[in-house]
Amino acid sequence: MDRFVIRGGNPLTGVIHVSGAKNSALPCMAAAILTDDAVTLENIPQVRDIETERRLLASMGAEVDLREDRTILSCRTLSDPVAKYEIVKTMRASALVLGPLIARTGMARVAMPGGCAIGGRPIDLHIKGLEKMGAEIAQEHGYLEARVERLRGAHIVFDKITVTGTEDLLMAAVLAEGETLMENCAREPEVADLAALLTAMGARIEGAGTGSIRVEGVSSLHGARYRISPDRIEAGTFLVAGAITGGDLTVANCCAAHLGAVMAKLEEAGARVDVLAPDAVRVRADGPLRAADISTEEYPGFPTDMQAQYMALATQAEGVSLVRENIFENRFMHVQELVRMGANIKVDGSTATVRGPARLSAAAVMCSDLRASASLVLAALVAEGETVVDRVYHMDRGYERIEEKLSQAGAQIQRLGNLFAPRERAHSAA
Ligand code: EPZ
């Protein structure tokens, strides 16, 4: 199992480049199921979750050619439209094949995704919406068995805002008979990315990116070529890295328009943030960091996927910062590891109270989930001494070559394979 060894104390400077959005790439790859033409996607990040999705689609009979500059997917023959548990258990987002499989083939057999470190992660709202569209869905032996002649348009109001629920049902609706109106939808940019691809494939969609999406079903979709948006969470992570290390860092190839809440919060915490261009944001230290509260909300609010990273910053801010996690029930796994490095954090239910500034010292710490990993790396960048961050495969799920990117911005970080086990290939799933 790979580990990072990080020596803290270096301000990050220069330019750091953002890869494509993992959480756009995953639904867009699943959208290829909806047509028997080839779909070409650009700017796909080379991360483990993408490799897992490639394996999942290939296991169903799709051809997926992952290249450096583009990914070509062909789902002409889906010889085995089953999302098997041994793959689904490693990545919950596998549930995103449910809607497209039912829409394309009239059937689907998808393993129920288990929970994960941050919560139970149910998909009841996906199921409820598909049943409203006429699918018959049984749950047995840990699998969802879905059947329908042809999905029909429906009026769906989500009980809770769900990102992949919105995406799953959007992919079901584009081939349904008649019109679908979905309300209380997720407004994340990744939903708009998926809708842009589907539209390029011939779908008729209005309102993606807003709370209400209207779809006019069509009988078939054709192939398309589409470039995935930049990863706003990777970009936000690098902005925090520039601020926490007291550096002067420009985050390039990003989409500043997707970073409003994160940039505003960093300014409130005392960093200097300048939008140099639509795809470039500069962050600089501007005196000591100041405590500022956050409360995670659906987009365009402060993202839950940035909560752990912000908490690392809050440990270095003067004063008391309240961190409220409103989206997931167990997303404070990073807290105890930060405390072991010297942070002063108390958790009470869904609120963590962070008192700073705390002097952090290097320790042996362990990743538990994707964004908690990022939090530990950020803390290690300012901790005194050499921190060993173990189980970085969690981080490899959603950050492409993170140690190379941070090193070229001045961080002292290196990746070590486990001395006693074969070096894990960067893309092998868990
Ligand atoms: C997506 O997960 C992202 N993953 C997550 O990013 C992100 O944290 C999350 O949205 C929130 O922004 C992908 O896009 C692949 P939800 P998703 O459905 O869709 C409850 C990362 O770090 N809910 O929006 O699974 C759910 O339990 C990952 O890249 C139901 O109750 O999240 C949660 O409390 C982590 N029933 C809330 O809604 C459902 O059927 C929001 O979940 C679906 C969700």
Side-chain angles (χ1 to χ4, degrees), residues 22-23 26 92-93 96 118 120-126 160-165 167 188 232 304-305 327-329 331 370-371:
K22 162 180 85 83
N23 291 348
L26 292 172
R92 294 190 60 271
L96 277 166
I118 64 177
R121 312 296 296 278
I123 58 168
D124 56 308
L125 301 181
H126 301 229
K160 283 179 84 168
I161 292 174
T162 161
V163 176
T164 50
E167 293 164 345
E188 271 68 3
R232 60 191 170 92
T304 174
D305 290 353
I327 306 295
F328 289 110
E329 63 266 32
R331 204 167 198 176
L370 171 54
R371 306 304 174 182

Side-chain angles (χ1 to χ4, degrees), residues 2 19 42 51 65 72 79 110 121 129 141 152 155 184 244 248 261 263 290 335-336 348 355 360 363 369 405 415 418:
D2 286 7
S19 301
E42 297 173 355
E51 169 56 18
D65 183 359
I72 303 159
S79 51
V110 176
R121 312 296 296 278
H141 309 303
R152 57 177 185 277
H155 180 194
N184 200 26
I244 198 173
D248 181 349
M263 291 192 294
R290 300 188 295 269
V335 169
Q336 284 321 311
D348 178 10
R355 287 180 169 76
L360 299 183
D369 61 82
K405 293 184 178 184
R415 178 187 290 258
N418 186 313

Side-chain angles (χ1 to χ4, degrees), residues 335-356:
V335 169
Q336 284 321 311
E337 296 300 275
L338 293 173
V339 168
R340 293 181 59 243
M341 296 176 75
N344 181 342
I345 308 170
K346 298 276 184 299
V347 172
D348 178 10
S350 60
T351 300
T353 302
V354 187
R355 287 180 169 76

Side-chain angles (χ1 to χ4, degrees), residues 120-178:
R121 312 296 296 278
I123 58 168
D124 56 308
L125 301 181
H126 301 229
I127 295 167
K128 196 172 169 184
L130 290 166
E131 287 175 335
K132 192 94 188 277
M133 298 172 80
E136 288 176 21
I137 301 181
Q139 302 183 27
E140 53 185 16
H141 309 303
Y143 276 79
L144 291 173
E145 306 271 354
R147 283 193 180 287
V148 71
E149 270 301 303
R150 184 184 179 192
L151 292 170
R152 57 177 185 277
H155 180 194
I156 294 165
V157 184
F158 287 101
D159 297 340
K160 283 179 84 168
I161 292 174
T162 161
V163 176
T164 50
T166 301
E167 293 164 345
D168 212 1
L169 293 178
L170 179 57
M171 289 190 276
V174 294
L175 288 181
E177 183 155 14

